[in-house]
Amino acid sequence: MGDTSSNQMWGGRFAAGPDAIMEAINASIGFDKRMAAQDIAGSRAHAAMLAATGILSDSDAAAIREGLLTVLSEIEAGKFTFSTALEDIHMNVEARLKTLIGDAAGRLHTARSRNDQVATDFRLWVRDQIDAAIEGLQALIRALLAQAEAGADWVMPGFTHLQTAQPVTWGHHMMAYVEMFARDLSRLRDARARMNECPLGAAALAGTSFPINRDMTAQALGFDRPAANSLDAVSDRDFALEFLSAASICAMHLSRFAEELVIWSSAQFRFVTLSDRFSTGSSIMPQKKNPDAAELIRAKVGRIFGANVALMMVMKGLPLAYSKDMQEDKEQVFDAADNLMLALAAMEGMVKDMTANRSNLAAAAGSGFSTATDLADWLVRVAGIPFRDAHHVTGTLVAMAEAQGCDLPDLTLAQMQSVHAGITDDVFGVLGVENSVASRMSYGGTAPAQVRAQVARWKEVLG
């Protein structure tokens, strides 16, 4: 029974026993093959530097350069066979390189370690993802600016506690998200600037005795400078954590907007119509048009923020320098990056395609006594009443209108004067929603003129 029982204990996949388990847990090629282009770029820069410093002969460097380009073309064409036995992308590339060019391939790894190699690859990969996310955010912001410009003077209700508060404009609401996503853009740019240091040349943890030129490799790979401490260079992943943190905040903003689109597209609101391209039907209810894309965007923040927490937990207890735990740094980042890019692209598509239902927005803007604050402000500004008293007078008038089943502008002047004698006919000039939004001319306010000024400013910023 011994061997059979033992094999069954491991389960079918690991019927071969501990060796199979060790290979499965140790190998990272299943996911780190995504860094193939970055790995080969790093190796090409390293080989060129080794030749320039006389550590590697020109002939070996030339063979390595051509061989690496062949490997890259094989990978890009889908003709490369990845081996779990070779553990990771670095060893897979080097093994294939040896098959192609022979012993010269063995000299490529001079004056470096897989520790600084993977740290370099991963930085390059995250940097590429940040650049892609920046482009995605810029496209989304442009789509929002187009909506804001088109609806700069379309009135709609503004909410607090999801209760009607004061009238705003469609353009102003769109521009609120421009500000949020622009801060996301800024965070990503900050993260990129901070992470743009090259670990290559830190070797295993202590640097190397070979006369390498780290400035040369850093420059070749587009880094601003070499990382200044070899221990830090190979053992920290805060650049990935900062990317995940910025991605989490961005996903939260996407989720908030997605939630509004779900609410706004409902039969109860009908503020927006989403295109068929970003909606689905029901299998049994023919009247349904479900905002599935928005709902899926709303869910993305869970997995992106989860990736941030997961990597933080991996890193929090690791002594310097490298530990194998850090192999767990990539899958979560890969998944988060994929989902952030998908969410950004889907939101851009929805924003470009969606149609605001202007008449429904306007009707809702005037409901719920939305101009009550305008009335209170008028009482302070024109009638000279202290704001607390004006608040009380306005509340009494709201109760009166509510009892009569009408809105504030529908009350007669006599009715208003029965509550406060200082009210004049001029008050009706502030009670309409159009008048309300037009009056909000403070910087950052909802007045159409302010909205158009902000649109113009952001268009200039984006170029």
Side-chain angles (χ1 to χ4, degrees):
M1 141 174 186
D3 288 341
T4 305
S5 174
S6 175
N7 286 344
Q8 286 174 344
M9 288 286 287
W10 296 120
R13 185 177 173 195
F14 300 120
D19 290 348
I21 293 174
M22 187 58 200
E23 181 176 298
I25 198 171
N26 194 50
S28 59
I29 189 60
F31 50 86
D32 70 15
K33 62 186 177 185
R34 289 189 61 166
M35 301 193 302
Q38 290 79 14
D39 189 71
I40 289 170
S43 289
R44 290 183 66 199
H46 185 65
M49 180 276 294
L50 291 177
T53 53
I55 299 169
L56 192 66
S57 70
D58 288 341
S59 59
D60 281 349
I64 289 169
R65 181 176 63 249
E66 295 304 315
L68 287 171
L69 288 174
T70 300
V71 174
L72 181 61
S73 66
E74 290 176 351
I75 292 172
E76 289 177 342
K79 297 177 181 177
F80 191 94
T81 302
F82 294 99
S83 167
T84 305
L86 290 169
E87 293 185 18
D88 55 34
I89 185 62
H90 325 299
M91 298 305 291
N92 270 263
V93 168
E94 189 173 319
R96 178 60 182 149
L97 187 63
K98 185 172 183 179
T99 302
L100 290 169
I101 68 170
D103 289 344
R107 297 189 176 94
L108 171 60
H109 208 54
T110 306
R112 77 174 181 187
S113 160
R114 276 193 291 179
N115 292 355
D116 62 335
Q117 188 177 359
V118 70
T120 303
D121 292 0
F122 198 25
R123 274 186 193 250
L124 289 170
W125 193 92
V126 171
R127 193 178 71 184
D128 288 344
Q129 290 303 302
I130 288 176
D131 289 342
I134 286 171
E135 286 187 19
L137 274 165
Q138 288 172 329
L140 173 55
I141 289 170
R142 287 192 175 95
L144 287 164
L145 287 172
Q147 284 282 355
E149 191 166 32
D153 58 357
W154 301 352
V155 291
M156 66 175 288
F159 299 94
T160 60
H161 309 278
L162 206 56
Q163 307 292 316
T164 300
Q166 295 174 356
V168 295
T169 59
W170 172 261
H172 195 52
H173 202 112
M174 294 299 104
M175 291 305 293
Y177 282 104
V178 167
E179 295 290 336
M180 291 183 218
F181 291 127
R183 288 193 297 274
D184 293 325
L185 198 62
S186 175
R187 273 183 282 271
L188 286 169
R189 285 172 170 156
D190 286 351
R192 191 193 194 283
R194 235 182 317 279
M195 69 165 287
N196 207 31
E197 297 182 345
C198 186
L200 198 58
L205 75 162
T208 178
S209 58
F210 288 95
I212 60 173
N213 184 340
R214 294 192 62 206
D215 289 305
M216 181 179 174
T217 47
Q219 185 175 1
L221 294 170
F223 288 108
D224 295 328
R225 66 192 70 85
N229 183 285
S230 60
L231 288 167
D232 173 57
V234 299
S235 69
D236 205 354
R237 295 294 184 266
D238 59 355
F239 64 89
L241 284 165
E242 191 167 6
F243 166 64
L244 290 176
S245 177
S248 295
I249 297 171
C250 181
M252 176 271 293
H253 286 148
L254 288 166
S255 181
R256 292 186 72 184
F257 194 19
E259 170 72 359
E260 293 200 316
L261 294 180
V262 170
I263 293 170
W264 290 353
S265 63
S266 68
Q268 289 71 28
F269 274 71
R270 298 189 186 279
F271 282 5
V272 299
T273 301
L274 300 177
S275 75
D276 291 346
R277 296 198 303 171
F278 293 97
S279 307
T280 62
S282 164
S283 60
I284 63 169
M285 294 172 283
Q287 84 282 9
K288 293 292 292 296
K289 184 177 179 181
N290 300 324
D292 281 9
E295 292 170 4
L296 289 165
I297 290 170
R298 189 173 59 187
K300 294 298 184 189
V301 68
R303 65 196 296 169
I304 294 171
F305 185 65
N308 191 21
V309 174
L311 182 54
M312 194 77 79
M313 292 301 100
V314 167
M315 297 302 300
K316 75 174 184 65
L318 300 186
L320 298 183
Y322 182 85
S323 296
K324 192 68 169 178
D325 310 49
M326 291 166 68
Q327 185 167 290
E328 292 292 321
D329 61 356
K330 296 171 197 68
E331 285 179 283
Q332 303 280 358
V333 178
F334 293 163
D335 183 76
D338 289 347
N339 282 283
L340 178 65
M341 291 307 300
L342 186 57
L344 284 170
M347 185 60 85
E348 182 209 352
M350 277 195 296
V351 171
K352 285 171 78 171
D353 284 5
M354 72 181 179
T355 303
N357 301 325
R358 188 176 179 182
S359 60
N360 290 353
L361 290 169
S367 67
F369 309 105
S370 64
T371 56
T373 306
D374 296 277
L375 174 55
D377 288 348
W378 183 89
L379 288 167
V380 172
R381 195 171 58 249
V382 179
I385 302 172
F387 182 80
R388 288 300 171 200
D389 294 341
H391 188 281
H392 179 73
V393 169
T394 303
T396 304
L397 289 170
V398 166
M400 181 184 290
E402 196 168 31
Q404 295 182 25
C406 68
D407 204 352
L408 284 171
D410 302 318
L411 292 174
T412 67
L413 179 59
Q415 287 172 320
M416 290 191 182
Q417 288 176 335
S418 72
V419 176
H420 194 281
I423 298 175
T424 68
D425 196 53
D426 289 345
V427 76
F428 292 100
V430 302
L431 289 180
V433 291
E434 301 284 351
N435 294 329
S436 174
V437 297
S439 72
R440 308 287 175 180
M441 276 295 291
S442 58
Y443 180 79
T446 191
Q450 285 290 324
V451 173
R452 292 188 177 103
Q454 292 293 341
V455 170
R457 178 175 74 88
W458 277 112
K459 279 186 167 182
E460 188 176 340
V461 168
L462 286 177

mmCIF file of all heavy atoms in Angstrom, residues 27-65:
data_model
loop_
_atom_site.group_PDB
_atom_site.id
_atom_site.type_symbol
_atom_site.label_atom_id
_atom_site.label_comp_id
_atom_site.label_asym_id
_atom_site.label_seq_id
_atom_site.Cartn_x
_atom_site.Cartn_y
_atom_site.Cartn_z
ATOM 1 N N ALA A 27 8.567 27.030 -9.934
ATOM 2 C CA ALA A 27 8.596 27.603 -11.280
ATOM 3 C C ALA A 27 7.723 28.841 -11.370
ATOM 4 O O ALA A 27 6.636 28.906 -10.791
ATOM 5 C CB ALA A 27 8.124 26.571 -12.302
ATOM 6 N N SER A 28 8.205 29.832 -12.117
ATOM 7 C CA SER A 28 7.434 31.058 -12.343
ATOM 8 C C SER A 28 7.206 31.324 -13.825
ATOM 9 O O SER A 28 6.590 32.318 -14.185
ATOM 10 C CB SER A 28 8.162 32.254 -11.716
ATOM 11 O OG SER A 28 9.464 32.398 -12.276
ATOM 12 N N ILE A 29 7.666 30.419 -14.679
ATOM 13 C CA ILE A 29 7.595 30.666 -16.116
ATOM 14 C C ILE A 29 6.152 30.798 -16.598
ATOM 15 O O ILE A 29 5.868 31.509 -17.567
ATOM 16 C CB ILE A 29 8.339 29.555 -16.914
ATOM 17 C CG1 ILE A 29 8.449 29.940 -18.401
ATOM 18 C CG2 ILE A 29 7.664 28.208 -16.729
ATOM 19 C CD1 ILE A 29 9.199 31.217 -18.657
ATOM 20 N N GLY A 30 5.218 30.189 -15.863
ATOM 21 C CA GLY A 30 3.815 30.263 -16.252
ATOM 22 C C GLY A 30 3.293 31.680 -16.296
ATOM 23 O O GLY A 30 2.377 31.995 -17.046
ATOM 24 N N PHE A 31 3.895 32.561 -15.481
ATOM 25 C CA PHE A 31 3.448 33.959 -15.506
ATOM 26 C C PHE A 31 4.557 34.937 -15.886
ATOM 27 O O PHE A 31 4.305 35.935 -16.539
ATOM 28 C CB PHE A 31 2.813 34.365 -14.176
ATOM 29 C CG PHE A 31 3.627 34.042 -12.949
ATOM 30 C CD1 PHE A 31 4.601 34.913 -12.490
ATOM 31 C CD2 PHE A 31 3.413 32.862 -12.252
ATOM 32 C CE1 PHE A 31 5.347 34.621 -11.356
ATOM 33 C CE2 PHE A 31 4.149 32.560 -11.112
ATOM 34 C CZ PHE A 31 5.127 33.438 -10.654
ATOM 35 N N ASP A 32 5.816 34.658 -15.497
ATOM 36 C CA ASP A 32 6.826 35.686 -15.780
ATOM 37 C C ASP A 32 7.283 35.693 -17.246
ATOM 38 O O ASP A 32 8.044 36.570 -17.657
ATOM 39 C CB ASP A 32 8.017 35.616 -14.812
ATOM 40 C CG ASP A 32 8.921 34.402 -14.974
ATOM 41 O OD1 ASP A 32 8.839 33.721 -16.004
ATOM 42 O OD2 ASP A 32 9.714 34.143 -14.041
ATOM 43 N N LYS A 33 6.742 34.766 -18.055
ATOM 44 C CA LYS A 33 7.021 34.841 -19.489
ATOM 45 C C LYS A 33 6.437 36.119 -20.100
ATOM 46 O O LYS A 33 6.827 36.529 -21.190
ATOM 47 C CB LYS A 33 6.477 33.609 -20.214
ATOM 48 C CG LYS A 33 4.972 33.425 -20.140
ATOM 49 C CD LYS A 33 4.558 32.090 -20.755
ATOM 50 C CE LYS A 33 3.062 31.841 -20.619
ATOM 51 N NZ LYS A 33 2.698 30.486 -21.128
ATOM 52 N N ARG A 34 5.527 36.762 -19.370
ATOM 53 C CA ARG A 34 4.992 38.047 -19.841
ATOM 54 C C ARG A 34 6.072 39.121 -19.874
ATOM 55 O O ARG A 34 5.896 40.157 -20.501
ATOM 56 C CB ARG A 34 3.851 38.516 -18.933
ATOM 57 C CG ARG A 34 2.601 37.699 -19.068
ATOM 58 C CD ARG A 34 1.439 38.334 -18.321
ATOM 59 N NE ARG A 34 1.102 39.663 -18.805
ATOM 60 C CZ ARG A 34 -0.023 40.288 -18.496
ATOM 61 N NH1 ARG A 34 -0.901 39.716 -17.686
ATOM 62 N NH2 ARG A 34 -0.273 41.495 -18.961
ATOM 63 N N MET A 35 7.175 38.886 -19.179
ATOM 64 C CA MET A 35 8.257 39.871 -19.150
ATOM 65 C C MET A 35 9.349 39.549 -20.164
ATOM 66 O O MET A 35 10.455 40.078 -20.065
ATOM 67 C CB MET A 35 8.873 39.944 -17.747
ATOM 68 C CG MET A 35 7.888 40.319 -16.657
ATOM 69 S SD MET A 35 8.675 40.759 -15.082
ATOM 70 C CE MET A 35 9.607 39.257 -14.739
ATOM 71 N N ALA A 36 9.054 38.723 -21.144
ATOM 72 C CA ALA A 36 10.076 38.298 -22.105
ATOM 73 C C ALA A 36 10.729 39.480 -22.820
ATOM 74 O O ALA A 36 11.958 39.553 -22.942
ATOM 75 C CB ALA A 36 9.471 37.334 -23.121
ATOM 76 N N ALA A 37 9.923 40.414 -23.287
ATOM 77 C CA ALA A 37 10.482 41.554 -24.028
ATOM 78 C C ALA A 37 11.387 42.390 -23.133
ATOM 79 O O ALA A 37 12.468 42.835 -23.561
ATOM 80 C CB ALA A 37 9.353 42.415 -24.588
ATOM 81 N N GLN A 38 10.964 42.584 -21.883
ATOM 82 C CA GLN A 38 11.777 43.358 -20.937
ATOM 83 C C GLN A 38 13.060 42.608 -20.575
ATOM 84 O O GLN A 38 14.131 43.207 -20.442
ATOM 85 C CB GLN A 38 10.971 43.670 -19.674
ATOM 86 C CG GLN A 38 9.850 44.675 -19.856
ATOM 87 C CD GLN A 38 8.586 44.096 -20.480
ATOM 88 O OE1 GLN A 38 8.427 42.876 -20.565
ATOM 89 N NE2 GLN A 38 7.683 44.956 -20.907
ATOM 90 N N ASP A 39 12.948 41.280 -20.417
ATOM 91 C CA ASP A 39 14.121 40.480 -20.076
ATOM 92 C C ASP A 39 15.171 40.550 -21.179
ATOM 93 O O ASP A 39 16.368 40.717 -20.911
ATOM 94 C CB ASP A 39 13.694 39.021 -19.842
ATOM 95 C CG ASP A 39 14.831 38.185 -19.281
ATOM 96 O OD1 ASP A 39 15.197 38.387 -18.109
ATOM 97 O OD2 ASP A 39 15.364 37.337 -20.027
ATOM 98 N N ILE A 40 14.710 40.459 -22.418
ATOM 99 C CA ILE A 40 15.647 40.485 -23.549
ATOM 100 C C ILE A 40 16.225 41.886 -23.728
ATOM 101 O O ILE A 40 17.419 42.040 -24.024
ATOM 102 C CB ILE A 40 14.941 39.968 -24.815
ATOM 103 C CG1 ILE A 40 14.721 38.445 -24.670
ATOM 104 C CG2 ILE A 40 15.751 40.291 -26.070
ATOM 105 C CD1 ILE A 40 13.836 37.830 -25.721
ATOM 106 N N ALA A 41 15.430 42.918 -23.493
ATOM 107 C CA ALA A 41 15.959 44.291 -23.564
ATOM 108 C C ALA A 41 17.055 44.494 -22.521
ATOM 109 O O ALA A 41 18.112 45.083 -22.812
ATOM 110 C CB ALA A 41 14.833 45.299 -23.347
ATOM 111 N N GLY A 42 16.825 43.997 -21.309
ATOM 112 C CA GLY A 42 17.831 44.109 -20.257
ATOM 113 C C GLY A 42 19.097 43.357 -20.592
ATOM 114 O O GLY A 42 20.215 43.842 -20.357
ATOM 115 N N SER A 43 18.957 42.167 -21.162
ATOM 116 C CA SER A 43 20.126 41.360 -21.531
ATOM 117 C C SER A 43 20.916 42.000 -22.664
ATOM 118 O O SER A 43 22.150 41.965 -22.681
ATOM 119 C CB SER A 43 19.677 39.954 -21.933
ATOM 120 O OG SER A 43 19.228 39.239 -20.795
ATOM 121 N N ARG A 44 20.228 42.600 -23.603
ATOM 122 C CA ARG A 44 20.920 43.272 -24.710
ATOM 123 C C ARG A 44 21.729 44.458 -24.190
ATOM 124 O O ARG A 44 22.878 44.681 -24.595
ATOM 125 C CB ARG A 44 19.915 43.735 -25.766
ATOM 126 C CG ARG A 44 19.268 42.590 -26.542
ATOM 127 C CD ARG A 44 18.345 43.133 -27.616
ATOM 128 N NE ARG A 44 19.106 43.843 -28.637
ATOM 129 C CZ ARG A 44 18.574 44.723 -29.500
ATOM 130 N NH1 ARG A 44 17.297 45.012 -29.440
ATOM 131 N NH2 ARG A 44 19.334 45.305 -30.407
ATOM 132 N N ALA A 45 21.131 45.227 -23.271
ATOM 133 C CA ALA A 45 21.849 46.369 -22.695
ATOM 134 C C ALA A 45 23.048 45.894 -21.882
ATOM 135 O O ALA A 45 24.139 46.504 -21.943
ATOM 136 C CB ALA A 45 20.902 47.183 -21.809
ATOM 137 N N HIS A 46 22.875 44.813 -21.136
ATOM 138 C CA HIS A 46 23.951 44.271 -20.310
ATOM 139 C C HIS A 46 25.101 43.782 -21.187
ATOM 140 O O HIS A 46 26.275 44.064 -20.900
ATOM 141 C CB HIS A 46 23.411 43.133 -19.449
ATOM 142 C CG HIS A 46 24.403 42.582 -18.470
ATOM 143 N ND1 HIS A 46 24.918 43.313 -17.429
ATOM 144 C CD2 HIS A 46 24.990 41.344 -18.389
ATOM 145 C CE1 HIS A 46 25.768 42.567 -16.730
ATOM 146 N NE2 HIS A 46 25.837 41.372 -17.301
ATOM 147 N N ALA A 47 24.778 43.068 -22.257
ATOM 148 C CA ALA A 47 25.811 42.541 -23.152
ATOM 149 C C ALA A 47 26.588 43.668 -23.827
ATOM 150 O O ALA A 47 27.821 43.611 -23.956
ATOM 151 C CB ALA A 47 25.176 41.642 -24.211
ATOM 152 N N ALA A 48 25.879 44.709 -24.249
ATOM 153 C CA ALA A 48 26.551 45.845 -24.895
ATOM 154 C C ALA A 48 27.500 46.531 -23.919
ATOM 155 O O ALA A 48 28.618 46.931 -24.293
ATOM 156 C CB ALA A 48 25.505 46.843 -25.397
ATOM 157 N N MET A 49 27.082 46.640 -22.658
ATOM 158 C CA MET A 49 27.940 47.249 -21.640
ATOM 159 C C MET A 49 29.156 46.374 -21.364
ATOM 160 O O MET A 49 30.290 46.869 -21.238
ATOM 161 C CB MET A 49 27.128 47.485 -20.356
ATOM 162 C CG MET A 49 27.900 48.121 -19.202
ATOM 163 S SD MET A 49 28.837 46.930 -18.189
ATOM 164 C CE MET A 49 27.501 46.001 -17.456
ATOM 165 N N LEU A 50 28.954 45.053 -21.276
ATOM 166 C CA LEU A 50 30.078 44.144 -21.030
ATOM 167 C C LEU A 50 31.118 44.250 -22.140
ATOM 168 O O LEU A 50 32.336 44.190 -21.875
ATOM 169 C CB LEU A 50 29.579 42.697 -20.921
ATOM 170 C CG LEU A 50 28.732 42.345 -19.693
ATOM 171 C CD1 LEU A 50 28.263 40.887 -19.780
ATOM 172 C CD2 LEU A 50 29.510 42.572 -18.385
ATOM 173 N N ALA A 51 30.656 44.429 -23.370
ATOM 174 C CA ALA A 51 31.587 44.580 -24.498
ATOM 175 C C ALA A 51 32.311 45.924 -24.425
ATOM 176 O O ALA A 51 33.528 46.010 -24.638
ATOM 177 C CB ALA A 51 30.828 44.456 -25.817
ATOM 178 N N ALA A 52 31.559 46.982 -24.088
ATOM 179 C CA ALA A 52 32.147 48.327 -24.029
ATOM 180 C C ALA A 52 33.202 48.446 -22.931
ATOM 181 O O ALA A 52 34.154 49.219 -23.057
ATOM 182 C CB ALA A 52 31.054 49.370 -23.801
ATOM 183 N N THR A 53 33.065 47.671 -21.876
ATOM 184 C CA THR A 53 34.025 47.722 -20.765
ATOM 185 C C THR A 53 35.122 46.667 -20.906
ATOM 186 O O THR A 53 35.971 46.539 -20.024
ATOM 187 C CB THR A 53 33.290 47.516 -19.419
ATOM 188 O OG1 THR A 53 32.500 46.320 -19.489
ATOM 189 C CG2 THR A 53 32.389 48.696 -19.104
ATOM 190 N N GLY A 54 35.087 45.886 -21.987
ATOM 191 C CA GLY A 54 36.122 44.885 -22.235
ATOM 192 C C GLY A 54 35.938 43.601 -21.457
ATOM 193 O O GLY A 54 36.814 42.725 -21.474
ATOM 194 N N ILE A 55 34.832 43.450 -20.789
ATOM 195 C CA ILE A 55 34.560 42.208 -20.028
ATOM 196 C C ILE A 55 34.145 41.099 -20.977
ATOM 197 O O ILE A 55 34.392 39.913 -20.730
ATOM 198 C CB ILE A 55 33.466 42.472 -18.964
ATOM 199 C CG1 ILE A 55 33.929 43.543 -17.973
ATOM 200 C CG2 ILE A 55 33.078 41.198 -18.223
ATOM 201 C CD1 ILE A 55 32.829 44.060 -17.055
ATOM 202 N N LEU A 56 33.566 41.473 -22.095
ATOM 203 C CA LEU A 56 33.077 40.519 -23.099
ATOM 204 C C LEU A 56 33.678 40.904 -24.446
ATOM 205 O O LEU A 56 33.810 42.102 -24.751
ATOM 206 C CB LEU A 56 31.545 40.598 -23.152
ATOM 207 C CG LEU A 56 30.764 39.523 -23.904
ATOM 208 C CD1 LEU A 56 30.911 38.178 -23.210
ATOM 209 C CD2 LEU A 56 29.277 39.911 -23.953
ATOM 210 N N SER A 57 34.060 39.909 -25.244
ATOM 211 C CA SER A 57 34.630 40.214 -26.561
ATOM 212 C C SER A 57 33.540 40.736 -27.494
ATOM 213 O O SER A 57 32.356 40.443 -27.328
ATOM 214 C CB SER A 57 35.262 38.957 -27.177
ATOM 215 O OG SER A 57 34.253 38.019 -27.545
ATOM 216 N N ASP A 58 33.964 41.500 -28.482
ATOM 217 C CA ASP A 58 33.006 42.050 -29.442
ATOM 218 C C ASP A 58 32.291 40.946 -30.209
ATOM 219 O O ASP A 58 31.104 41.061 -30.524
ATOM 220 C CB ASP A 58 33.718 42.983 -30.431
ATOM 221 C CG ASP A 58 34.147 44.295 -29.773
ATOM 222 O OD1 ASP A 58 33.594 44.620 -28.701
ATOM 223 O OD2 ASP A 58 35.025 44.982 -30.335
ATOM 224 N N SER A 59 33.014 39.871 -30.506
ATOM 225 C CA SER A 59 32.397 38.779 -31.266
ATOM 226 C C SER A 59 31.329 38.078 -30.439
ATOM 227 O O SER A 59 30.246 37.747 -30.953
ATOM 228 C CB SER A 59 33.461 37.768 -31.722
ATOM 229 O OG SER A 59 34.143 37.227 -30.591
ATOM 230 N N ASP A 60 31.630 37.841 -29.148
ATOM 231 C CA ASP A 60 30.619 37.225 -28.279
ATOM 232 C C ASP A 60 29.415 38.150 -28.109
ATOM 233 O O ASP A 60 28.264 37.703 -28.128
ATOM 234 C CB ASP A 60 31.214 36.911 -26.900
ATOM 235 C CG ASP A 60 32.058 35.640 -26.898
ATOM 236 O OD1 ASP A 60 31.998 34.899 -27.898
ATOM 237 O OD2 ASP A 60 32.776 35.413 -25.911
ATOM 238 N N ALA A 61 29.684 39.434 -27.954
ATOM 239 C CA ALA A 61 28.596 40.406 -27.792
ATOM 240 C C ALA A 61 27.702 40.435 -29.027
ATOM 241 O O ALA A 61 26.473 40.509 -28.918
ATOM 242 C CB ALA A 61 29.157 41.796 -27.512
ATOM 243 N N ALA A 62 28.319 40.371 -30.204
ATOM 244 C CA ALA A 62 27.554 40.383 -31.456
ATOM 245 C C ALA A 62 26.692 39.126 -31.567
ATOM 246 O O ALA A 62 25.523 39.191 -31.962
ATOM 247 C CB ALA A 62 28.495 40.494 -32.657
ATOM 248 N N ALA A 63 27.259 37.985 -31.197
ATOM 249 C CA ALA A 63 26.511 36.727 -31.249
ATOM 250 C C ALA A 63 25.331 36.763 -30.279
ATOM 251 O O ALA A 63 24.215 36.330 -30.608
ATOM 252 C CB ALA A 63 27.431 35.555 -30.911
ATOM 253 N N ILE A 64 25.586 37.296 -29.089
ATOM 254 C CA ILE A 64 24.516 37.399 -28.082
ATOM 255 C C ILE A 64 23.417 38.333 -28.582
ATOM 256 O O ILE A 64 22.226 38.014 -28.467
ATOM 257 C CB ILE A 64 25.090 37.894 -26.733
ATOM 258 C CG1 ILE A 64 25.936 36.785 -26.086
ATOM 259 C CG2 ILE A 64 23.978 38.346 -25.794
ATOM 260 C CD1 ILE A 64 26.752 37.244 -24.888
ATOM 261 N N ARG A 65 23.813 39.455 -29.144
ATOM 262 C CA ARG A 65 22.828 40.421 -29.627
ATOM 263 C C ARG A 65 21.928 39.798 -30.692
ATOM 264 O O ARG A 65 20.694 39.890 -30.613
ATOM 265 C CB ARG A 65 23.544 41.648 -30.195
ATOM 266 C CG ARG A 65 22.586 42.718 -30.705
ATOM 267 C CD ARG A 65 23.327 43.970 -31.184
ATOM 268 N NE ARG A 65 24.204 43.685 -32.315
ATOM 269 C CZ ARG A 65 25.544 43.702 -32.256
ATOM 270 N NH1 ARG A 65 26.152 43.969 -31.104
ATOM 271 N NH2 ARG A 65 26.267 43.441 -33.328
#
